[in-house]
Amino acid sequence: MANTTGVTEGTGVAVAERVAAAHSLWLSSLPAIRRAPIGDLLPQLLGGAELEPLTEPIAAPSVAVVGALAAGHGPISDLAVSPDGRYLVTAHYGADVVCVIDTATLAVTATVDGVSEPYAVVVADRAYVSAASNDQDAVVAVDTGTGNALAAKTFDATTGGLAVSPAGDTLYIARTGEDDLDIAVIDTETGAIETIAIPAAPGTSVEALRVSADGTRLFVSMATPAGGALAIIDTRSGTVARVVTIAGSVGDIAVAPNGRTVYATGWDADFGGVLHVIDVAGARLTDTIRVGGMPTQVVLGRRGECAYLVDRDEVAVVCTATLEIVDSIVVGPQLSCLAADPVRDRLYAADYRGGITALRVETAARLPQAS
């Protein structure tokens, strides 16, 4: 891999030197990033009432295409936006490539080659990319400013979902073994790993991981032999607090900014494609919205007033106050994934050709109907 610091080559990805010490340094060659304790970060992360979802119903949003990036490296398996909104990171599964894109210009600023089959991306102060090979799965850390691959950590088990804490100090990776399922909790500075066991039947797989905005909850969507399930993990104690069982299936998930609600895509035998609504405090399914089609991904707008669902070549828009579909945005080619800008009212829609469309999406409260 080009531009790799403190790593060696192996199995198509940069592989960290393996030593026996349980707390071996992972990114030890980098300056330590000093962060306040998570309790001190909460007021900054919550941002006051800004994170409370709107209680008023919204009208169909105003949508405008504000930019596009032509296909360059083939299908995009995942993309994510940095917390400051400056960078977009894309994974190109078939080309073994990860790209860093300047969101202001939609120009590629760096290309990381040789990342074996990258399929999932999360971004904090660095980007973390899941990679797969015939021998081992790995997670590669990428500097979004320079585009350098910094280091990688390999796993003998099959890895699934990927998530990073709001403070950027903890990385969560789902691992599936022959007889067990767990979450690897990795300190991003030292590489030290702790484990959270997930009680699950044989044959269960993880579909997605998401962290609440305050970092205190980790949500794990799972496909089980009996249907779908959502595990709610207390990150402070490192234990599974509750498990919500869901008829049919669950896929991708998104967490409301206040952490009280989880939205999950799924399939229902009666309704077809659906969006499940789960109450976190009560650990129960409260609603199922019939979407139709085949929704594969869900993201929330930065204020939580809208849920955006990828459904083939369009994006369905759901008002989270009324749980109604208020619009459908037709983008063009069949979409592979979607990302919401955490700073601006903007979505980035990627397609299977490898192109990206930037959409400005502005919402407004619904006007009362005249009597």
Side-chain angles (χ1 to χ4, degrees):
M1 179 182 297
N3 301 322
T4 302
T5 303
V7 296
T8 59
E9 294 292 337
T11 67
V13 297
V15 178
E17 291 287 358
R18 307 192 71 169
V19 295
H23 296 283
S24 58
L25 294 182
W26 182 23
L27 302 180
S28 57
S29 61
L30 304 178
I33 298 175
R34 303 297 178 187
R35 301 181 179 86
I38 189 68
D40 298 335
L41 284 167
L42 293 187
Q44 303 171 37
L45 295 172
L46 292 175
E50 178 76 2
L51 287 182
E52 290 294 330
L54 297 179
T55 55
E56 294 293 328
I58 62 166
S62 171
V63 181
V65 175
V66 294
L69 178 64
H73 296 283
I76 297 172
S77 51
D78 197 16
L79 75 169
V81 190
S82 61
D84 60 6
R86 292 179 58 194
Y87 300 107
L88 182 65
V89 182
T90 60
H92 300 262
Y93 187 88
D96 295 346
V97 164
V98 173
C99 292
V100 180
I101 298 165
D102 184 333
T103 59
T105 61
L106 281 188
V108 176
T109 60
T111 299
V112 183
D113 297 303
V115 181
S116 178
E117 299 181 0
Y119 59 89
V121 180
V122 293
V123 186
D125 43 17
R126 306 174 185 123
Y128 299 95
V129 184
S130 293
S133 71
N134 291 331
D135 297 321
Q136 291 178 313
D137 287 358
V139 173
V140 182
V142 176
D143 186 320
T144 54
T146 65
N148 290 335
L150 302 172
K153 205 159 190 68
T154 58
F155 301 92
D156 293 330
T158 300
T159 59
L162 182 68
V164 65
S165 65
D169 54 358
T170 306
L171 190 65
Y172 301 97
I173 302 169
R175 301 182 298 186
T176 304
E178 292 184 2
D179 302 312
D180 57 2
L181 179 68
D182 66 25
I183 305 297
V185 183
I186 302 177
D187 184 308
T188 58
E189 298 304 327
T190 68
I193 300 180
E194 296 182 356
T195 300
I196 301 172
I198 306 291
T204 298
S205 61
V206 171
E207 299 296 310
L209 296 183
R210 296 291 182 268
V211 184
S212 61
D214 64 3
T216 62
R217 291 287 186 272
L218 175 68
F219 301 94
V220 186
S221 71
M222 299 178 290
T224 78
L230 178 76
I232 303 172
I233 294 174
D234 184 329
T235 59
R236 292 163 295 190
S237 64
T239 58
V240 177
R242 303 287 291 274
V243 176
V244 183
T245 57
I246 300 170
S249 68
V250 294
D252 193 33
I253 53 176
V255 184
N258 59 19
R260 299 172 188 165
T261 307
V262 172
Y263 302 90
T265 62
W267 177 265
D268 182 270
D270 296 324
F271 298 151
V274 296
L275 181 67
H276 299 296
V277 183
I278 299 128
D279 172 58
V280 173
R284 61 193 179 96
L285 180 70
T286 58
D287 213 329
T288 297
I289 306 166
R290 183 173 185 170
V291 177
M294 184 65 73
T296 55
Q297 188 184 10
V298 57
V299 301
L300 295 182
R302 65 188 183 95
R303 288 180 295 273
E305 76 278 24
C306 281
Y308 300 99
L309 286 80
V310 173
D311 185 4
R312 293 168 294 190
D313 63 346
E314 60 186 36
V315 178
V317 184
V318 175
C319 171
T320 56
T322 64
L323 300 181
E324 297 174 341
I325 298 175
V326 296
D327 201 5
S328 181
I329 305 168
V330 178
V331 179
Q334 185 170 357
L335 300 177
S336 58
C337 48
L338 190 69
D341 193 308
V343 178
R344 294 163 289 192
D345 293 319
R346 182 178 290 190
L347 297 174
Y348 299 95
D351 60 53
Y352 282 103
R353 298 182 310 180
I356 298 173
T357 303
L359 304 168
R360 184 176 64 245
V361 183
E362 297 177 344
T363 59
R366 184 185 300 172
L367 296 176
Q369 294 181 348
S371 57

